[in-house]
Amino acid sequence: MNKQQILSYLKEKGIDKVKFAFADIDGVLRGKVIHHKKFADGLESGYGFCDVVFGWDSSDVCNENIKLTGWHTGYPDQLCRIDLSTFRTIPWQDDIPFFLADFSKADGNDLPACPRSLLKRIAKECESMGFHPEFAQEFEWFNFRETPQSLQEKSFTNLESLTPGMFGYSILRTSENGDFYYDLFDLLMKFNVPVEGLHAETGPGVYEAAILHDHVLEAADRAVLLKTAVKEIAYKHGIMASFMAKWNEKLPGCGGHVHQSLWNKDNSENLFYDANDANKMSETHKQYLAGQLYCLPHILPMYAPTINSYKRLVEGAWAPTTITWAVENRTTAFRVINTSPAYTRLETRIPGSDTNPYLAMAAALASGLYGIKNKLSLNIPATSGNGYHDDKNGKISANLFDAANIMKESKVAKELFGDDFVEHFVQTRLWECKQFAKSVTDWELKRYFEII
């Protein structure tokens, strides 16, 4: 609906409040509920929002490393703008109208820290090259019979999983909590986050949801909304959902794989498919994949943004550790799927469920376009067999500190995303490392408290 249609809708329904939110650098949704008059008044000029939301971390601790904002700027308001095309209602909150916003400006001078604005810019570049970017993200997450209060009381230990045992793809396990399970599918659909498939994954209380594919911006919007929506729906059932990449060293991690393909402008032909190629891959597909392989070391923190991300990227844990690709191989960093012309695509398997979808998709699309623009050859052979043992093209950085410092110095990253974004984003990742470095962990207490 356009502006006038939305305002008429609010008036006809007697709606007096509207909810909106935007994603911060970590992919956390920050927002407000506002009066319908404030909503109408701000549609042209925007809405002031304290830019501390881009100056603190996911725990609301002010980041002292960044230039964008801080005590030195006085934490002023920045104008965010609601995207009317994102209109939907929240079915588990009395159908309150909801919108996504970002910090885009008409003159193109976007706030460098705004993830959605960055993805919009990359998508626009893709379209200017004659492509339609079709994307989707899938998520795995653990569910617990806990509350925010019980987590604090237990100090995040001895948590009760929703169900015991591994039970991957089990029909039985999901029926045990059928009200929650079907609420997820049905309410997400009503929220315009259509789920292609929902099932139990291996691990106690683990679910996996694949979202229906769409244009990259809509795909990222849906992915961001799914994570918060799942948590809110879980709350209503006395359940907590966690999208940590790896919450327990003895259990599998949680993936957030990104699926993608490029189509012609009217979205009628998949430009990744070539029936005459041995792997059914067009030259465009090969160049796109070559770009992702080449750029991966330069932009890894956009796929693996937290300290915890790298606990998932270990051998034998259904997550990649090497810079590799193959057709239908889940041990490699990039998996080519070529089952049919309509569904031929590339799966980027590095991202975990802890990723910011806007940044993960921006990284995938920008690096793929880099390969096309530079006509890169796919000179890395497809891996045969176990990708964990195929390290001839290099390994994925083992920790956030190393990955962030590589990105900090990378000319490739700055070419893809601009100096301002890279500087800000890298500093937020190094801040994360700094906060972790000063923390005393349970592992240290158990190892050193008595014996040393």
Side-chain angles (χ1 to χ4, degrees):
M1 293 191 285
N2 60 32
K3 174 184 173 181
Q4 193 53 52
Q5 289 172 323
I6 288 172
L7 293 177
S8 296
Y9 171 86
L10 298 181
K11 184 176 181 180
E12 290 167 7
K13 298 287 185 179
I15 294 170
D16 59 3
K17 59 184 180 294
V18 169
K19 191 173 187 177
F20 77 97
F22 56 87
D24 69 10
I25 202 72
D26 289 292
V28 176
L29 282 180
R30 310 277 186 174
K32 296 180 181 180
V33 172
I34 57 175
H35 191 276
H36 68 87
K37 185 177 187 305
K38 183 176 179 66
F39 168 75
D41 291 346
L43 287 178
E44 298 299 330
S45 58
Y47 308 86
F49 222 105
C50 177
D51 70 4
V52 72
V53 293
F54 291 111
W56 58 25
D57 59 24
S58 59
S59 295
D60 291 7
V61 177
C62 291
N63 188 328
E64 299 168 2
N65 291 351
I66 60 172
K67 298 177 183 177
L68 176 73
T69 191
W71 303 116
H72 61 286
T73 67
Y75 291 115
D77 275 0
Q78 298 282 352
L79 288 176
C80 66
R81 289 174 168 80
I82 283 175
D83 185 339
L84 294 180
S85 71
T86 66
F87 171 61
R88 65 234 310 137
T89 61
I90 306 177
W92 58 93
Q93 292 179 0
D94 298 323
D95 285 319
I96 184 174
F98 177 85
F99 298 86
L100 282 167
D102 56 48
F103 290 78
S104 300
K105 299 178 183 177
D107 61 6
N109 295 316
D110 302 332
L111 190 71
C114 178
R116 192 172 191 267
S117 298
L118 177 71
L119 180 58
K120 286 167 70 175
R121 176 160 58 85
I122 303 300
K124 185 176 180 180
E125 178 186 358
C126 178
E127 290 157 359
S128 73
M129 294 171 65
F131 303 122
H132 167 93
E134 192 77 3
F135 274 63
Q137 193 164 10
E138 57 184 358
F139 291 103
E140 299 161 341
W141 72 91
F142 280 79
N143 298 291
F144 300 91
R145 295 191 185 278
E146 302 288 350
T147 67
Q149 290 74 24
S150 70
L151 280 179
Q152 295 293 330
E153 292 166 0
K154 293 181 174 184
S155 299
F156 293 84
T157 59
N158 301 316
L159 305 183
E160 182 184 353
S161 297
L162 181 63
T163 53
M166 302 306 276
F167 287 90
Y169 296 103
S170 169
I171 297 296
L172 179 66
R173 268 295 180 256
T174 53
S175 67
E176 185 178 349
N177 297 280
D179 289 347
F180 172 51
Y181 184 66
Y182 289 108
D183 247 7
L184 286 172
F185 196 98
D186 296 341
L187 293 176
L188 287 169
M189 185 75 73
K190 291 177 182 177
F191 190 46
N192 195 22
V193 181
V195 173
E196 183 181 70
L198 177 67
H199 63 88
E201 189 47 277
T202 186
V206 186
Y207 287 173
E208 177 176 347
I211 306 171
L212 278 175
H213 57 85
D214 209 315
H215 181 275
V216 65
L217 184 61
E218 174 64 20
D221 287 345
R222 291 175 176 179
V224 165
L225 291 173
L226 179 136
K227 292 176 70 173
T228 295
V230 164
K231 293 175 185 179
E232 292 184 349
I233 296 168
Y235 283 158
K236 294 179 72 68
H237 290 267
I239 295 168
M240 287 199 71
S242 174
F243 287 79
M244 276 185 72
K246 184 95 166 178
W247 88 272
N248 187 309
E249 65 174 297
K250 297 177 182 178
L251 295 172
C254 292
H257 308 154
V258 174
H259 294 252
Q260 67 236 253
S261 55
L262 298 181
W263 293 61
N264 61 353
K265 278 196 169 183
D266 65 4
N267 202 22
S268 63
E269 180 186 359
N270 186 351
L271 301 179
F272 273 12
Y273 182 78
D274 183 352
N276 298 316
D277 181 76
N279 290 321
K280 303 295 187 289
M281 296 173 66
S282 68
E283 188 60 28
T284 297
H285 193 173
K286 292 175 183 177
Q287 290 175 351
Y288 185 95
L289 172 55
Q292 289 212 4
L293 287 160
Y294 178 78
C295 294
L296 174 56
H298 300 269
I299 60 175
L300 179 59
M302 296 174 74
Y303 294 135
T306 72
I307 295 291
N308 186 249
S309 301
Y310 298 81
K311 306 292 177 70
R312 170 181 162 268
L313 298 172
V314 294
E315 188 170 332
W318 298 98
T321 60
T322 55
I323 302 174
T324 47
W325 76 278
V327 176
E328 285 294 0
N329 188 327
R330 287 181 168 85
T331 68
T332 57
F334 301 97
R335 171 186 169 226
V336 172
I337 302 166
N338 59 5
T339 51
S340 69
Y343 283 93
T344 293
R345 62 194 187 276
L346 179 66
E347 179 188 33
T348 301
R349 294 180 55 79
I350 304 96
S353 59
D354 60 343
T355 51
N356 180 334
Y358 293 118
L359 297 188
M361 292 190 198
L365 182 56
S367 57
L369 295 178
Y370 180 92
I372 294 173
K373 286 184 289 187
N374 291 283
K375 294 181 169 56
L376 297 186
S377 297
L378 186 56
N379 51 22
I380 297 173
T383 295
S384 178
N386 192 339
Y388 296 119
H389 298 161
D390 185 3
D391 61 0
K392 57 182 174 291
N393 196 53
K395 292 187 174 183
I396 294 171
S397 291
N399 59 75
L400 180 59
F401 183 79
D402 289 346
N405 276 299
I406 290 171
M407 187 172 181
K408 180 180 180 180
E409 303 300 328
S410 172
K411 294 181 180 178
V412 171
K414 292 170 185 174
E415 179 182 343
L416 294 179
F417 308 113
D419 292 0
D420 291 340
F421 169 79
V422 172
E423 191 275 335
H424 178 81
F425 179 66
V426 166
Q427 289 304 323
T428 66
R429 297 312 94 192
L430 293 175
W431 173 261
E432 198 78 2
C433 296
K434 182 179 179 180
Q435 301 312 294
F436 177 69
K438 67 183 184 182
S439 174
V440 178
T441 66
D442 290 346
W443 183 90
E444 292 168 280
L445 289 171
K446 292 173 184 176
R447 194 169 185 89
Y448 303 129
F449 188 90
E450 179 182 6
I451 197 66
I452 290 298

